[in-house]
Amino acid sequence: QVQLQESGPGLVKPSETLSLTCSVSGDSISDYYWSWIRQPAGKELEWIGRVFMSGSTNYNPSLTSRVSMSIDTSKSQLSLRLTSLTVADTAVYYCARERSGGFNSWGQGMLVTVSS
Amino acid sequence: QSALTQPASVSASPGQAVTISCTGTSSDVLNDKYVSWYQHHPGKVPKLIISEVSNRPSGVSNRFSGSKSGNTASLTISGLQAEDEADYYCCSFTSTYTYVFGTGTKVTVL
């Protein structure tokens, strides 16, 4: 059974860059699309983007100018980079595996707070 | 892209059924095939309960069912139980290879 685990800083300052990693175990990272999804407190889920093993990406149009994703198949890790942070980026960030147009496996989620 | 529209809340007594709608702004946003639904208990990880409009993943109760008509997808929970009290989100894969979630619906078991 696949397991996903997000890691990174829990506190980041405004205007800085967030870098998160998702470590995948229990299954191959290949042959799937992997997404990042976030949820600010009290708000709905927001899809950030996705990455394939080839490095191909798709991003949420509202975030595309600030987001980049990559994948390291040798380490079974995904990475998310989000620049020019504001308090509005404070959220729980999830990585998830995509299958048949849905997200069937999720990490536990990581709270990222943007504050000075 | 705008979020898919869901009712903010629905409620019913145990044993009854509730239906949650999910409406897209155009046929491009609400995909013909790739509509999924998630159950989210606060503080826990979202759980996939419906994929591809109406498919239930292994282990998901058959009290959950999905359908779609035009630009509106629906999730029905029959035989409502206390454990079903949670937030529910629809999600669609769009024609531009992105995903969009719904605004979320809080289900309350009276």
Side-chain angles (χ1 to χ4, degrees), chain B residues 4 9 12 15 17 34 40-41 52 58-59 63 66 69 75-76 85 96 102 107 109:
Chain B
L4 304 172
S9 63
Y34 294 128
H40 192 197
H41 289 101
E52 296 180 276
S58 175
R63 298 184 299 103
S69 177
L75 172 72
T76 298
E85 189 161 292
T96 53
V107 170
V109 181

Side-chain angles (χ1 to χ4, degrees), chain B residues 12-57:
Chain B
S13 298
Q16 293 185 326
V18 294
T19 296
I20 302 168
S21 61
C22 169
T23 302
T25 56
S26 73
S27 58
D28 283 343
V29 173
L30 203 63
N31 189 280
D32 276 348
K33 180 177 180 182
Y34 294 128
V35 176
S36 52
W37 290 88
Y38 302 85
Q39 178 190 60
H40 192 197
H41 289 101
K44 296 198 172 182
V45 177
K47 176 186 177 183
L48 176 68
I49 55 173
I50 295 289
S51 66
E52 296 180 276
V53 177
S54 59
N55 290 344
R56 270 190 315 276

Side-chain angles (χ1 to χ4, degrees), chain A residues 34-84:
Chain A
W34 302 86
S35 280
W36 288 93
I37 296 160
R38 68 180 182 179
Q39 185 177 37
K43 295 190 176 183
E44 64 261 29
L45 295 167
E46 180 182 32
W47 181 78
I48 301 170
R50 65 175 187 164
V51 61
F52 191 55
M53 63 173 182
S54 63
S56 170
T57 55
N58 300 103
Y59 300 136
N60 186 320
S62 68
L63 296 170
T64 191
S65 64
R66 298 195 294 130
V67 68
S68 62
M69 295 179 184
S70 61
I71 189 168
D72 187 334
T73 54
S74 65
K75 295 182 178 179
S76 288
Q77 289 182 337
L78 330 166
S79 295
L80 166 69
R81 188 169 179 266
L82 187 63
T83 64
S84 304

